[in-house]
């Protein structure tokens, strides 16, 4: 598909204010989508929306402060978005966070509480809120960004890896729901997981000019891969992990 692969699509981006969110807003808008970003930080979100509008030449990009830790707020966001734009063709989950420890036994369980909210609860709420609108779309996609550590957890990264693994399991169950809803003809909507080792962006490189960031995925490349999820049939991506780094 050409540069306007997503022409006419309406795509919601959760966690739109971070570096990955900024890149995704811009690339989705550049591909022709109407993009609706959400973040819990209104200032950061406004900057991301403005950058995407400017970079994509006045594209249709809006932002809304949403508490994704509250199911009713998340449902309200989905309802408002579908009512305003008439459809929802995608939800991209970019809510992130990381906590780690020196060793397994030094793991602080407060870190789990923090990560469970950011990495799992927001997936639960967005998937439940957006399932029906995405199922109504002829090209609905739910895209989770995950980490290779979910499949290959390390001792000091246990809370993060376990949270990511739970988020993956939830997303795969969503994929099964799309499969069942599609019946004999196969799914019309899909839930897919993009797996990275870690993400890197220009500001990180500027802060650490001598770092190699080996195996890291640039947020611009991630944004390109996100757009690519719509370029494949639902049956090809539904329930699949799409690896952007070396598979463990």
């Amino acid at each position: 598909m050409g540069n306007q692969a997503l022409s006419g699509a309406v795509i919601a981006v959760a966690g739109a204010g971070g570096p990955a969110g900024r890149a995704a807003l811009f690339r989705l808008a550049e591909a022709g989508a109407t993009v609706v970003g959400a973040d819990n930080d209104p200032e950061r979100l406004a900057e991301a929306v403005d950058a995407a509008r400017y970079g994509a030449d006045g594209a249709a990009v809006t932002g809304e402060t949403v508490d994704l830790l509250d199911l009713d707020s998340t449902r309200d966001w989905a309802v408002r978005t579908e009512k305003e734009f008439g459809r929802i063709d995608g939800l991209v989950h970019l809510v992130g966070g990381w906590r780690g420890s020196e060793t397994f036994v030094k793991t602080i369980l407060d870190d789990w509480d923090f990560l469970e909210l950011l990495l799992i609860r927001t997936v639960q709420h967005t998937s439940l809120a957006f399932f029906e609108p995405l199922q109504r779309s002829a090209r609905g996609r739910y895209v989770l960004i995950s980490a290779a550590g979910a499949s290959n957890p390390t001792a000091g990264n246990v809370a993060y890896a376990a949270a990511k693994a739970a988020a993956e399991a939830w997303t795969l169950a969503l994929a099964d729901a799309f499969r069942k809803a599609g019946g004999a003809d196969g799914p019309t909507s899909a839930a897919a997981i993009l797996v990275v080792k870690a993400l890197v962006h220009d500001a990180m490189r500027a802060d650490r000019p001598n770092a190699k960031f080996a195996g890291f995925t640039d947020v611009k490349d991630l944004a390109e891969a996100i757009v690519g999820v719509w370029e494949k049939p639902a049956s090809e991506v539904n329930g699949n992990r799409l690896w952007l780094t070396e598979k463990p």
Side-chain angles (χ1 to χ4, degrees), residues 26-44:
F26 167 71
R27 186 65 190 91
L28 289 164
E30 188 182 49
T34 294
V35 193
V36 185
D39 202 276
N40 63 355
D41 183 328
E43 189 173 327
R44 193 173 70 162

Side-chain angles (χ1 to χ4, degrees), residues 3-248:
N3 195 40
Q4 294 294 301
L6 290 174
S7 180
V10 177
I11 299 176
V13 178
R22 288 176 76 123
L25 291 182
F26 167 71
R27 186 65 190 91
L28 289 164
E30 188 182 49
T34 294
V35 193
V36 185
D39 202 276
N40 63 355
D41 183 328
E43 189 173 327
R44 193 173 70 162
L45 177 63
E47 288 174 2
V49 167
D50 286 348
R53 280 180 183 156
Y54 178 77
D57 197 22
V61 185
T62 59
E64 192 172 335
T65 307
V66 180
D67 181 7
L68 297 174
L69 295 178
D70 181 274
L71 180 56
D72 288 337
S73 295
T74 311
R75 286 193 195 278
D76 288 346
W77 178 42
V79 169
R80 279 194 308 275
T81 300
E82 189 175 28
K83 188 173 181 182
E84 181 173 353
F85 298 103
R87 59 190 299 122
I88 300 174
D89 301 292
L91 186 288
V92 180
H93 185 279
L94 289 169
V95 182
W98 182 82
R99 297 274 177 94
S101 59
E102 286 179 52
T103 66
F104 182 82
V105 294
K106 287 185 179 177
T107 297
I108 299 166
L109 289 177
D110 285 352
D111 289 349
W112 168 261
D113 295 337
F114 169 80
L115 293 168
E116 187 270 334
L117 289 172
L118 279 184
L119 304 183
I120 305 173
R121 195 66 58 83
T122 57
V123 170
Q124 293 171 328
H125 289 170
T126 51
S127 60
L128 290 168
F130 282 83
F131 174 79
E132 289 180 351
L134 292 176
Q135 183 55 38
R136 283 191 281 271
S137 166
R139 51 176 171 173
R141 299 288 185 273
Y142 184 98
V143 183
L144 176 76
I145 313 307
S146 190
S151 303
N152 189 26
T154 55
N157 211 24
V158 57
Y160 177 80
K164 280 293 191 185
E168 285 196 6
W170 190 276
T171 303
L172 293 173
L174 171 63
D176 188 53
F178 283 138
R179 181 184 62 79
K180 286 174 173 157
D185 295 331
T188 55
S189 296
I193 299 167
L194 296 178
V195 186
V196 301
K197 176 181 176 180
L199 295 173
V200 63
H201 50 86
D202 291 343
M204 284 172 66
R205 291 195 182 93
D207 288 343
R208 298 168 60 196
N210 297 321
K212 300 289 186 200
F213 298 110
F216 284 41
T217 299
D218 191 283
V219 292
K220 296 185 186 74
D221 294 328
L222 174 65
E224 195 66 42
I226 289 168
V227 170
V229 172
W230 276 267
E231 295 179 347
K232 299 184 180 81
S235 57
E236 273 187 35
V237 294
N238 189 48
N240 287 333
R241 293 179 179 87
L242 309 171
W243 291 83
L244 305 183
T245 188
E246 192 175 338
K247 195 172 178 178

